[in-house]
Amino acid sequence: MAVARKRQISLIDTKYYHCISRCVRRAFLCGADSFTGKSYEHRRGWVEDKLLKLAKIFCIDVCAYAVMSNHTHLVLYVDDKKANRLNDKAIIIRWHKLCKGTLLTQKYLHGAKLTKAELIFFNQTLKQYRERLSSISWFMRLLNEDIARRANKEDKCTGRFWEGRFKSQALLDEAALAACMAYVDLNPIRAKMAKTPEESDHTSVQKRVDSATIGKQPKQLLRFAGIPRQIMPKGLPFELKSYLELVELTGRCIREGKRGHVEKSILPLLKRVNISPENWLKLTTQFTRVFHGAVGKVSSQASYSEHLGRKRRANISNSEKLFA
């Protein structure tokens, strides 16, 4: 049974979420359709461009993404503190980049004085915009609606383009986050769309590798902040070099069709998140098959379920096996 979106998001427990959207029609979202012989490869650029544009406006950062033939994978970080920290004008300006707003918000930006009655309605609208700018549901809605409209226009048809609402998974700890990001970044390699991470077009790992070659991190993505410490800046709790090595070597193991041995050079990160090499390979090849719903260690699952008032905890047996 589907779970309401508000019962899947618990920012007290985690700000990281894995989101998946699938195309409903037989025609491909992107790539070449073998049935019609038509190529939709250009649509992958639509998705990537819109995704990174929204990330600049929303108080939501992109950790990882992969645009596939008929579905997309995203790992998002919700920066609700930033949404609460922004002043009123900044919130209105950001929202107007997405939608027209209301007569009152337009009036406010033009410097006109609002009456007491108008201020009441304006403040209600402002609160709504502030909440939306840190809402995964609104982020995914604006991403998917735009792509659906453009695809329908190009296909000269109407109707649903996406398979219902997007699916989301809470990533409750570092182990779940690392495994899910690698799973997303390695999607094109598993699908035989690319041979190496740097050749995986329209993925976050390609963008990170390109920037790493000049000693930088891409501004469009949430940066790697390094090993967790007392004074921790905003960013992913891993080292960029370790993560890229981890993805490269994991991809090599998957591509050769071996369960085999994961090389020693990637063990520091795996040890820190407490995942064995064998379990790591299973997680990065079967993440969405193994887990349905929130992902993390058993202790993380307990806290997450308690905060959302849920008695049943999914994935307990798999969590015990793979994150032990």
Side-chain angles (χ1 to χ4, degrees):
M1 183 180 294
V3 179
R5 191 75 63 224
K6 65 182 180 181
R7 298 206 62 195
Q8 296 178 39
I9 306 294
S10 174
L11 297 181
I12 297 173
D13 296 290
T14 183
K15 298 181 188 295
Y16 295 98
Y17 293 85
H18 175 212
C19 302
I20 310 165
S21 296
R22 294 187 181 277
C23 190
V24 74
R25 292 203 295 264
R26 173 185 50 76
F28 280 9
L29 163 64
C30 309
D33 186 343
S34 58
F35 185 81
T36 63
K38 188 174 180 179
S39 175
Y40 297 95
E41 184 66 20
H42 58 284
R43 292 181 182 174
R44 298 178 74 193
W46 290 359
V47 178
E48 185 175 34
D49 291 344
K50 185 66 176 181
L51 167 66
L52 298 177
K53 182 180 178 181
L54 288 175
K56 286 183 179 179
I57 300 170
F58 274 79
C59 297
I60 291 177
D61 295 287
V62 178
C63 305
Y65 67 87
V67 184
M68 305 300 289
S69 295
N70 62 354
H71 66 285
T72 62
H73 285 279
L74 310 176
V75 177
L76 304 174
Y77 171 84
V78 182
D79 193 351
D80 56 324
K81 290 182 179 178
K82 181 179 179 179
N84 293 327
R85 191 170 61 243
L86 290 172
N87 62 42
D88 296 350
K89 188 174 183 179
I91 291 292
I92 298 297
I93 290 173
R94 283 174 179 251
W95 189 256
H96 281 194
K97 290 180 180 179
L98 301 168
C99 305
K100 292 180 179 179
T102 67
L103 289 173
L104 291 179
T105 58
Q106 293 285 355
K107 188 176 176 180
Y108 171 83
L109 279 188
H110 285 92
K113 190 174 181 179
L114 303 180
T115 65
K116 287 184 178 180
E118 287 176 331
L119 274 173
I120 292 172
F121 289 105
F122 171 79
N123 288 331
Q124 289 175 349
T125 302
L126 179 66
K127 181 183 177 183
Q128 191 178 63
Y129 289 174
R130 195 179 293 277
E131 290 172 352
R132 288 178 181 179
L133 286 174
S134 60
S135 166
I136 288 179
S137 290
W138 271 94
F139 185 95
M140 295 300 294
R141 174 181 174 176
L142 293 177
L143 171 63
N144 287 347
E145 280 185 359
D146 181 70
I147 302 304
R149 286 196 185 98
R150 294 178 70 179
N152 281 350
K153 184 177 181 180
E154 185 178 60
D155 293 340
K156 297 179 182 178
C157 68
T158 58
R160 291 174 63 178
F161 184 78
W162 298 101
E163 189 182 77
R165 295 191 69 192
F166 69 95
K167 294 181 175 68
S168 70
Q169 292 178 296
L171 305 174
L172 301 176
D173 46 46
E174 288 181 25
L177 176 61
C180 188
M181 284 182 62
Y183 168 79
V184 170
D185 279 331
L186 288 168
N187 253 260
I189 291 176
R190 287 198 310 276
K192 296 183 179 179
M193 293 171 65
K195 293 182 178 180
T196 62
E198 63 270 24
E199 293 175 1
S200 300
D201 294 333
H202 307 291
T203 62
S204 52
V205 70
Q206 183 186 59
K207 197 166 288 292
R208 292 193 189 279
V209 170
D210 288 346
S211 294
T213 58
I214 55 174
K216 295 183 178 180
Q217 294 200 48
K219 293 180 179 179
Q220 305 99 316
L221 302 176
L222 184 62
R223 63 183 291 107
F224 282 80
I227 297 172
R229 47 203 183 273
Q230 276 192 332
I231 302 175
M232 183 73 175
K234 176 183 170 182
L236 293 161
F238 314 116
E239 293 176 345
L240 173 62
K241 183 175 180 290
S242 296
Y243 177 76
L244 292 179
E245 287 176 351
L246 187 67
V247 170
E248 161 67 19
L249 292 171
T250 304
R252 191 179 303 143
C253 291
I254 295 169
R255 195 165 62 253
E256 292 173 356
K258 299 177 181 178
R259 289 181 59 83
H261 175 68
V262 179
E263 297 181 27
K264 289 183 179 180
S265 59
I266 66 171
L267 286 181
L269 180 56
L270 292 189
K271 279 186 175 179
R272 189 158 61 78
V273 297
N274 199 27
I275 304 178
S276 71
E278 293 77 17
N279 285 346
W280 174 257
L281 288 181
K282 186 172 183 180
L283 284 166
T284 51
T285 54
Q286 304 175 41
F287 195 89
T288 53
R289 293 182 187 177
V290 172
F291 295 107
H292 302 279
V295 185
K297 297 175 183 175
V298 176
S299 57
S300 301
Q301 291 267 9
S303 175
Y304 173 78
S305 298
E306 182 181 344
H307 287 135
L308 290 178
R310 295 166 65 174
K311 294 181 180 179
R312 185 176 179 274
R313 287 181 288 165
N315 305 317
I316 292 300
S317 60
N318 284 326
S319 294
E320 288 175 338
K321 292 175 187 175
L322 298 174
F323 292 118

